[in-house]
């Protein structure tokens, strides 16, 4: 691909680093979570949320369990200001939830921000300025000292306004575009802010290290985070926060590695909404932890509901393959996957094991409000007998004999292949009913009765190719006797090879389902038929007749 020469690596390696984090293999406790859906997420929407939608979303974020929620940039617009006031004045912020507001380092903006917060019991005031080489040179045209002055100026003002405002306010500082900033300079500017704010045990400061734009592989970011954690002043009174955007598709990896490298807090959004490629998806991060046995402290047990609210208020769409949330992520189309899942489920049921390790399903779909039957088995031309059999058994109580599953599987796959579409469970069932069950042409049995004397004798009447018949024959069971009698009508062209049956509940009436496999005398092929009736004998006769009718030369 042409043009790559114009790109250069824009990241900065932190040195020295020990990479202590690289020997850790999982995150053992949940970080502090901060939702930035209502600020970073909202500012990136084609149509930003209305006040009502923001209020609904705020309440929803609280319900999910967020304790810190960035609600906007109150000095930036009237809507943002009004939203902040509405939350405070309508008493909508639970005591254990802290709102966070963003501000630039300018006096009138800081003043307006504190005005917006009047009456709040507590809040996080989030100060930021851009520190990257690109922004310093191209946007602000300022040197490093001047950029530090901006941050220190804002930090001092925040302190002054905090003293004048009632309430408990925590400070957060972000060297915006941290990943495009030399780590030594990021450290210097953060330390300058920390020196102004003088954090203490009861007044911790949040230092947020945003991947405003992603320039590197995640381990480079982890090293930058580790470098900051090890060299920031007053580390014990700091909360190190991460705010990864997803330009390289690495926001989740950046967050996870950054946590391993010593960070304590994550700012992100539901489904990763946010500027450009979005912020880190907190659902994925949290469920990644959950799937390794760590309680994330957020409740994602009803993802369909969360998806519905999110799609409605943001007018965004959750991608079908979005981890954990997408419509297709608990679906298996491939036959071998379906088979393995069906076997895994059965194994789990039989062994009663507490741990989840079903093949192809990283978590139990029911833990996040999804359903196996509807979600897991998806039927198309790639599907296999295992999945189709499992679907019929779990959703329609039809337990096909193993060999018949194979035959029916091919039949369904070829229909899907020709129609070039996925088949829904009901369509699969309908195919079984239409093509295999109670087939009555050209042969139909209208009556069969039995006399038990020296074995069983069947008296069978019916119609074959439009002509009525009455025949009888003996056999070593009822079905065998009927089969022998029918051979006088259709010819001695087959033998009954498989017969199974089971009870079936059909709309509160008890029925029986029978499955008969007959072998052609000519070519040795098995043909299957299904019978359903309230009478078990009748159902077996119907299955046999269906098989005969389906048999091809
Ligand atoms: O992405 C970013 O850097 C931000 C800052 C304001 C924290 O959103
Ligand atoms: Zn951001």
């Amino acid at each position: 691909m042409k043009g790559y020469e114009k790109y250069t690596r824009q990241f900065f390696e932190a040195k020295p680093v020990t990479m202590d984090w690289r020997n850790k293999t999982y995150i053992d406790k949940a970080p502090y979570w901060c939702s930035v859906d209502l600020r970073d997420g909202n500012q990136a929407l084609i149509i930003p949320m209305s006040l009502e939608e923001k209020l609904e979303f705020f309440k929803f974020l609280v319900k999910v369990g967020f304790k810190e929620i960035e609600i906007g940039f109150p000095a930036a617009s009237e809507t943002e200001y009004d939203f902040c006031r509405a939350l405070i004045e309508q008493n909508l912020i639970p005591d254990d939830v802290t709102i966070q507001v963003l501000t630039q380092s300018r006096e009138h903006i800081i003043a307006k921000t504190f005005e917006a917060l009047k009456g709040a019991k507590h809040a996080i005031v989030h100060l930021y300025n851009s520190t990257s080489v690109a922004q310093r040179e191209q946007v602000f045209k300022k040197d490093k000292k001047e950029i530090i002055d901006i941050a220190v100026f804002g930090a001092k003002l925040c302190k002054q306004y905090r003293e004048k405002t009632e309430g408990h306010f925590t400070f957060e500082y972000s060297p915006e575009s941290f990943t495009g900033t030399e780590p030594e300079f990021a450290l210097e500017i953060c330390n300058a802010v920390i020196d102004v704010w003088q954090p203490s045990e009861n007044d911790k400061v949040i230092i947020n290290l945003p991947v405003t734009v992603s320039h590197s592989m995640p381990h480079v970011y982890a090293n930058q985070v580790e470098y900051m954690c090890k060299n920031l002043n007053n580390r014990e009174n700091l909360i190190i926060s991460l705010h990864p955007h997803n330009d390289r598709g690495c926001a989740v990896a950046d967050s996870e590695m950054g946590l391993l490298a010593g960070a304590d807090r994550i700012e992100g959004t539901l489904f990763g909404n946010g500027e450009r490629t979005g912020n880190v998806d907190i659902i994925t991060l949290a469920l990644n932890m959950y799937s390794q046995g760590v309680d994330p402290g957020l409740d994602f047990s009803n993802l369909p509901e969360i998806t519905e609210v999110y799609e409605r208020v943001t007018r965004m769409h959750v991608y079908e393959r979005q981890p954990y949330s997408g419509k297709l992520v608990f679906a298996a189309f491939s036959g071998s996957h379906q088979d393995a899942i069906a076997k895994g489920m059965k194994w789990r049921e039989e062994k009663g094991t507490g741990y989840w390790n079903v093949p192809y399903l990283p978590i139990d779909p029911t833990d996040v409000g999804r359903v196996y039957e509807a979600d897991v088995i998806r039927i198309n031309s790639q599907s296999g007998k295992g999945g189709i059999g499992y679907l019929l058994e779990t959703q329609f109580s039809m337990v096909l004999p193993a060999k018949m599953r194979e035959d029916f599987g091919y039949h369904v796959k070829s229909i899907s292949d020709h129609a070039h579409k996925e088949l829904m469970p009901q369509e699969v069932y309908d195919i079984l009913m239409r093509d295999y069950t109670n087939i009555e042409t050209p042969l139909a049995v209208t009556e069969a009765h039995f006399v038990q004397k020296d074995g069983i004798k069947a008296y069978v009447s019916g119609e074959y190719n439009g002509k009525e018949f009455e025949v009888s024959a003996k056999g070593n069971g009822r079905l065998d006797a009927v089969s022998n009698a029918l051979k006088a009508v259709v010819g001695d062209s087959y033998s009954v090879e498989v017969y199974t049956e089971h009870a079936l509940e059909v709309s509160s009436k008890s029925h029986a389902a029978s499955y008969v496999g007959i072998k052609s005398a000519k070519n040795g092929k098995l043909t299957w038929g299904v019978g359903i009736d309230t009478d078990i004998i009748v159902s077996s006769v119907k299955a046999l007749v269906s098989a005969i009718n389906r048999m091809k030369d």
Side-chain angles (χ1 to χ4, degrees):
M1 190 175 145
K2 281 188 188 152
Y4 64 88
E5 303 89 345
K6 97 163 160 270
Y7 297 100
T8 168
R9 290 166 205 106
Q10 292 182 50
F11 61 85
F12 296 92
E13 282 194 74
K15 283 191 186 116
V17 285
T18 51
M19 291 183 88
D20 285 348
W21 55 269
R22 89 190 139 187
N23 296 322
K24 301 182 190 164
T25 49
Y26 66 97
I27 296 157
D28 56 7
K29 79 173 197 316
Y32 300 111
W33 300 108
C34 175
S35 151
V36 295
D37 290 83
L38 294 164
R39 198 275 299 169
D40 218 334
N42 187 53
Q43 81 188 40
L45 292 176
I46 299 167
I47 305 168
M49 289 177 237
S50 65
L51 187 84
E52 290 68 36
E53 286 165 340
K54 275 189 147 192
L55 286 171
E56 180 184 350
F57 207 179
F58 177 83
K59 288 180 196 159
F60 200 69
L61 292 168
V62 169
K63 186 174 147 198
V64 164
F66 284 98
K67 300 297 173 207
E68 293 178 2
I69 302 173
E70 189 164 82
I71 55 149
F73 197 153
S77 77
E78 214 155 297
T79 331
E80 302 263 298
Y81 185 88
D82 290 347
F83 177 55
C84 184
R85 294 309 308 153
L87 288 176
I88 297 167
E89 283 163 19
Q90 292 173 36
N91 219 357
L92 296 173
I93 311 165
D95 283 346
D96 63 345
V97 172
T98 305
I99 55 166
Q100 175 169 314
V101 288
L102 188 66
T103 177
Q104 288 172 344
S105 185
R106 292 158 78 182
E107 172 139 29
H108 70 285
I109 291 183
I110 293 174
K112 183 100 181 167
T113 305
F114 275 90
E115 189 190 306
L117 287 174
K118 280 213 174 104
K121 288 188 198 127
H122 40 81
I124 298 168
V125 176
H126 180 183
L127 172 73
Y128 78 98
N129 68 319
S130 289
T131 56
S132 67
V133 179
Q135 298 253 34
R136 287 189 331 245
E137 280 175 6
Q138 300 164 38
V139 184
F140 299 103
K141 303 189 186 351
K142 288 192 192 300
D143 64 17
K144 286 181 179 169
K145 183 177 170 310
E146 289 169 305
I147 296 289
I148 294 180
D149 288 346
I150 296 175
V152 168
F153 172 77
K156 284 183 179 160
L157 278 176
C158 284
K159 212 169 164 183
Q160 286 165 20
Y161 275 89
R162 176 165 83 170
E163 272 156 25
K164 291 191 271 188
T165 316
E166 217 174 290
H168 181 82
F169 299 109
T170 301
F171 290 144
E172 170 171 344
Y173 173 67
S174 289
E176 200 241 45
S177 47
F178 166 75
T179 42
T181 307
E182 310 87 323
E184 304 73 26
F185 180 58
L187 182 70
E188 194 184 342
I189 197 164
C190 288
N191 276 338
V193 171
I194 291 165
D195 290 347
V196 174
W197 283 342
Q198 293 290 320
S200 65
E201 182 152 14
N202 295 324
D203 180 24
K204 294 207 169 169
V205 159
I206 301 167
I207 295 292
N208 189 41
L209 305 175
V211 182
T212 305
V213 179
S214 174
H215 300 293
S216 72
M217 286 197 239
H219 72 289
V220 175
Y221 179 58
N223 286 345
Q224 292 165 345
V225 172
E226 181 187 79
Y227 170 82
M228 296 296 282
C229 287
K230 289 199 165 158
N231 294 291
L232 281 167
N233 294 342
N234 212 340
R235 169 68 182 100
E236 66 281 13
N237 293 319
L238 300 177
I239 291 167
I240 304 299
S241 176
L242 309 178
H243 177 112
H245 280 267
N246 199 31
D247 304 84
R248 293 168 57 95
C250 295
V252 168
D254 283 345
S255 307
E256 291 183 333
M257 288 197 182
L259 288 174
L260 293 183
D264 313 294
R265 181 179 188 263
I266 295 287
E267 291 188 354
T269 56
L270 300 185
F271 307 104
N273 182 37
E275 289 283 11
R276 306 181 309 283
T277 50
N279 288 74
V280 65
D281 173 16
I282 286 190
I283 299 177
T284 302
L285 261 184
L287 291 175
N288 281 358
M289 284 175 209
Y290 179 82
S291 70
Q292 295 193 329
V294 175
D295 182 357
L298 293 172
D299 184 357
F300 292 123
S301 60
N302 193 346
L303 282 183
E305 185 194 13
I306 294 173
T307 308
E308 186 281 314
V309 173
Y310 168 80
E311 289 191 333
R312 182 163 46 76
V313 300
T314 63
R315 290 162 278 270
M316 296 288 286
H317 170 71
V318 175
Y319 175 45
E320 281 70 8
R321 303 210 184 271
Q322 176 89 5
Y324 302 106
S325 325
K327 278 210 172 65
L328 295 179
V329 302
F330 294 114
F333 288 93
S334 139
S336 63
H337 290 208
Q338 293 174 350
D339 191 50
I341 291 169
K343 287 182 175 141
M345 299 284 207
K346 205 162 183 168
W347 189 86
R348 201 178 144 67
E349 210 177 285
E350 282 164 11
K351 303 267 179 217
T353 169
Y355 291 107
W356 180 264
N357 65 348
V358 173
Y360 298 109
L361 290 180
I363 64 164
D364 181 347
T366 60
D367 286 344
V368 289
R370 305 283 294 261
V371 198
Y372 305 125
E373 288 78 9
D375 276 344
V376 173
I377 308 290
R378 303 292 291 257
I379 305 302
N380 67 9
S381 59
Q382 304 301 306
S383 309
K385 57 184 177 15
I388 294 171
Y390 179 77
L391 180 150
L392 285 172
E393 186 169 338
T394 52
Q395 293 200 43
F396 301 100
S397 308
M398 296 292 290
V399 189
L400 274 55
K403 280 193 177 160
M404 184 182 170
R405 285 183 175 203
E406 197 171 324
D407 178 85
F408 183 62
Y410 283 121
H411 185 65
V412 168
K413 278 161 62 160
S414 99
I415 290 176
S416 162
D417 202 13
H418 282 104
H420 221 78
K421 74 178 198 70
E422 182 196 358
L423 298 172
M424 292 294 119
Q426 185 63 45
E427 289 175 291
V428 173
Y429 176 75
D430 291 345
I431 291 170
L432 182 71
M433 292 301 113
R434 184 192 68 201
D435 296 350
Y436 284 70
T437 310
N438 295 357
I439 312 274
E440 294 192 314
T441 50
L443 175 68
V445 168
T446 44
E447 211 185 314
H449 60 266
F450 304 91
V451 174
Q452 195 155 5
K453 195 176 163 215
D454 308 328
I456 293 207
K457 189 163 182 185
Y459 294 85
V460 184
S461 48
E463 236 182 70
Y464 183 53
N465 284 329
K467 281 195 193 139
E468 291 186 357
F469 65 82
E470 273 183 23
V471 285
S472 63
K474 279 191 167 177
N476 49 26
R478 286 181 159 85
L479 189 67
D480 190 45
V482 172
S483 172
N484 289 338
L486 288 176
K487 281 179 183 169
V489 182
V490 297
D492 193 5
S493 53
Y494 69 89
S495 56
V496 174
E497 291 293 308
V498 185
Y499 167 57
T500 65
E501 65 187 32
H502 61 78
L504 194 64
E505 279 284 310
V506 180
S507 51
S508 80
K509 262 201 216 146
S510 153
H511 280 64
S514 299
Y515 310 85
V516 168
I518 57 172
K519 189 167 156 186
S520 160
K522 264 194 200 159
N523 56 23
K525 271 172 102 184
L526 266 183
T527 303
W528 294 91
V530 181
I532 295 182
D533 199 273
T534 47
D535 182 299
I536 195 153
I537 305 296
V538 177
S539 86
S540 68
V541 172
K542 284 183 171 174
L544 172 66
V545 171
S546 298
I548 294 169
N549 282 329
R550 293 190 68 248
M551 193 169 72
K552 300 205 171 60
D553 286 343

